[in-house]
Amino acid sequence: VFLSAGTYNITGLITFQNKNSVTLRGAGPGQTILHMTGNSAITSGQTPDYLAVEHFITGGNTKGSTSITVDNATGIRSGSFLNIYQADDPDFYWSRSNDTDNTGQLVMVTAVNGNILTLEDPLIWTFNLNPRFKAQAVGGMRWSGIENLTINADSSYLGTMIQFWSSYASWIKNVELTGGMGNSMVSIYRSLRMEIRDSYLHDTFSTTDGYGILTFFGSSSDRAGATGTLIENNIFKGLWYAIVLETEVGSVIDYNYMVGNKFAGWPNYQVPDINANHGAHGMMQLFEGNVSVGIQNDGYHGSTSHVTLFRNWFSGQHADVNRTGNVKTISLERFSYYHNVVGNVLGFPGWPRTTTGRYEMTGMPAYTAQSVIYRLGYPNVGNNGYSLTNPPSNAGAGGLDPKVASTLMRWGNYDYQNNAAKWDPSEIPSDVPVPANQILPASLFYSARPS
């Protein structure tokens, strides 16, 4: 569907109605402009929830497997969505609101042979704690996208400009999104293999939320989130968070540029661009080649695990010279376990190494007292306080979580507090072999430089 150059005032929903292989394409950003008002949005169209019946996985539930055996395959066909999950692993799972069964992933079935289901993508984990799944009742939007246009809104718009629900292999490409007062510009829910690339998300009017991209959590009966999302080669500017992930699994966030993030309530303090776990439980994510003030796992709603930060630049330097408080490049809050931080650049040439600069945060400093490369195991996002008596799992007043640091692998990161790359065996967890050399690949995602 081609929209020629011009400005279109949108007052209702533009819906894909769960159709397949449809592209909404403009003449280019700044040429085709969709101005959102009221409750308008571009939406995939929502689909019914997963079927209530719960199936059990009886075989093939190991990491890397593309075939599983189930107790009953009745009603499942090629093209069915499955929400795979297992019981909570106390080694790395925690939920503030006691939600359960949120370790898992979304997959698509490509063949059914009796009770054996072939999957398009491999399992990202060995699900051995009572592995189960639910199948989606009907298919949602598939192989569809939005390209080459601008979407904007004024300060009276409270909606989400693009909503992808229960979608598969769909995309946003070369799209500019700006303005509005909504919670996020793009929201993704219960979707698989989504892609957002080559786009410009900037300058929200919101003073309380104003995220660029949000992939969000469902409930204890619907793990939701997204699996296999690719967020690549975008620019984010003037938002609160550029990217907020809830229950995101097996996804890649790479080569994005983020600048000028803001939160009106803290005019002199920095806030991070990326939040990798605003819900339980995200895992197996790769952040590569991003340029950003910093990343923070908030630990507020739940845990995250097995996230890799590779060859990013987390500068801790805001475009606004007045935002000099709350400076940190990597902040992994409580229940952020088994993460990898490898080959990154942390800090900037003017890092205050001899004044407020610290390698790791200690104690309960005021926002301007310590500018830190790492903040590990703290329970709160909004302050540096913690309980001296409560465990980390105390939702309202948790204590420090030492397991965040003890399971964190750090190797070959250049930080401006030390003005050097650190190859320190003491920063390798005790159960992980120390790497045999200091050679890092150019990418963990690409085999060659993209064009």
Side-chain angles (χ1 to χ4, degrees):
V1 178
F2 179 70
L3 298 178
S4 58
T7 298
Y8 302 77
N9 293 315
I10 309 301
T11 59
L13 295 179
I14 298 175
T15 176
F16 281 75
Q17 297 179 335
N18 300 311
K19 291 184 170 63
N20 299 335
S21 303
V22 177
T23 301
L24 177 66
R25 181 178 293 129
Q31 299 182 61
T32 298
I33 301 171
L34 307 185
H35 183 68
M36 296 292 181
T37 60
N39 294 319
S40 60
I42 301 175
T43 178
S44 59
Q46 297 184 23
T47 59
D49 288 339
Y50 288 93
L51 297 174
V53 61
E54 187 175 61
H55 297 269
F56 291 85
I57 300 175
T58 60
N61 50 304
T62 56
K63 179 178 177 177
S65 173
T66 56
S67 176
I68 58 174
T69 304
V70 302
D71 63 334
N72 188 338
T74 302
I76 300 172
R77 61 187 186 277
S78 178
S80 292
F81 256 29
L82 305 183
N83 182 9
I84 292 176
Y85 50 90
Q86 70 168 15
D88 306 332
D89 189 333
D91 183 40
F92 55 72
Y93 182 85
W94 173 76
S95 168
R96 179 188 179 98
S97 46
N98 298 315
D99 290 322
T100 60
D101 299 337
N102 285 322
T103 307
Q105 72 181 97
L106 302 175
V107 297
M108 176 174 281
V109 176
T110 58
V112 179
N113 184 10
N115 283 351
I116 299 176
L117 309 180
T118 302
L119 311 179
E120 180 177 35
D121 295 313
L123 299 182
I124 56 92
W125 195 252
T126 296
F127 299 114
N128 56 8
L129 299 176
N130 191 20
R132 291 151 285 155
F133 69 90
K134 291 182 180 180
Q136 187 171 295
V138 297
M141 181 181 83
R142 303 187 178 195
W143 297 109
S144 296
I146 303 166
E147 301 179 357
N148 302 344
L149 48 80
T150 289
I151 304 174
N152 65 26
D154 58 28
S155 59
S156 64
Y157 178 77
L158 302 177
T160 297
M161 298 174 181
I162 298 177
Q163 305 166 0
F164 283 159
W165 294 62
S166 300
S167 301
Y168 168 77
S170 297
W171 66 90
I172 300 169
K173 179 181 179 183
N174 193 29
V175 171
E176 177 190 18
L177 298 108
T178 183
M181 283 280 286
N183 183 249
S184 63
M185 293 178 173
V186 177
S187 66
I188 300 174
Y189 176 79
R190 199 197 290 144
S191 294
L192 174 63
R193 282 176 165 259
M194 306 301 289
E195 186 168 336
I196 304 172
R197 64 174 309 109
D198 308 336
S199 294
Y200 182 28
L201 293 77
H202 65 101
D203 297 310
T204 177
F205 289 111
S206 176
T207 58
T208 56
D209 291 309
Y211 311 147
I213 299 170
L214 170 66
T215 69
F216 63 100
F217 169 69
S219 64
S220 60
S221 61
D222 180 6
R223 193 185 53 81
T227 296
T229 307
L230 177 62
I231 302 174
E232 181 175 80
N233 195 40
N234 302 285
I235 295 174
F236 301 87
K237 171 183 168 290
L239 308 169
W240 181 11
Y241 280 98
I243 299 169
V244 176
L245 305 177
E246 301 181 0
T247 321
E248 187 75 24
V249 174
S251 297
V252 175
I253 298 88
D254 67 339
Y255 302 97
N256 300 286
Y257 179 73
M258 308 169 197
V259 65
N261 58 344
K262 62 184 181 180
F263 181 56
W266 294 349
N268 299 319
Y269 300 145
Q270 290 190 21
V271 290
D273 293 300
I274 303 168
N275 186 337
N277 83 312
H278 196 50
H281 174 88
M283 64 189 303
M284 301 295 281
Q285 305 162 22
L286 169 65
F287 293 83
E288 176 177 301
N290 300 286
V291 175
S292 163
V293 165
I295 184 171
Q296 182 171 40
N297 286 358
D298 68 20
Y300 185 79
H301 292 295
S303 55
T304 188
S305 66
H306 304 89
V307 172
T308 295
L309 311 178
F310 184 71
R311 289 193 179 276
N312 303 279
W313 180 18
F314 297 123
S315 70
Q317 183 180 29
H318 200 278
D320 181 352
V321 296
N322 295 314
R323 290 185 178 269
T324 57
N326 196 39
V327 176
K328 50 188 183 285
T329 67
I330 295 178
S331 187
L332 304 178
E333 292 2 313
R334 56 182 173 180
F335 298 102
S336 298
Y337 294 159
Y338 302 103
H339 285 26
N340 307 293
V341 180
V342 179
N344 300 276
V345 176
L346 307 174
F348 62 97
W351 185 263
R353 57 192 305 269
T354 61
T355 53
T356 61
R358 302 288 190 277
Y359 185 64
E360 288 186 23
M361 181 175 286
T362 57
M364 304 182 199
Y367 275 142
T368 57
Q370 292 183 20
S371 303
V372 296
I373 301 297
Y374 294 99
R375 180 182 187 265
L376 303 176
Y378 280 69
N380 302 309
V381 177
N383 62 72
N384 295 325
Y386 55 87
S387 170
L388 296 175
T389 57
N390 290 332
S393 58
N394 186 294
L400 283 176
D401 188 351
K403 190 173 176 178
V404 174
S406 67
T407 61
L408 176 63
M409 176 177 174
R410 290 177 276 187
W411 189 248
N413 300 290
Y414 186 100
D415 75 85
Y416 280 95
Q417 181 64 32
N418 292 291
N419 273 336
K422 290 198 72 173
W423 310 89
D424 186 349
S426 70
E427 294 191 332
I428 304 294
S430 59
D431 58 344
V432 175
V434 176
N437 57 55
Q438 298 179 1
I439 300 172
L440 302 180
S443 172
L444 298 179
F445 185 62
Y446 281 108
S447 59
R449 183 191 297 264
S451 59

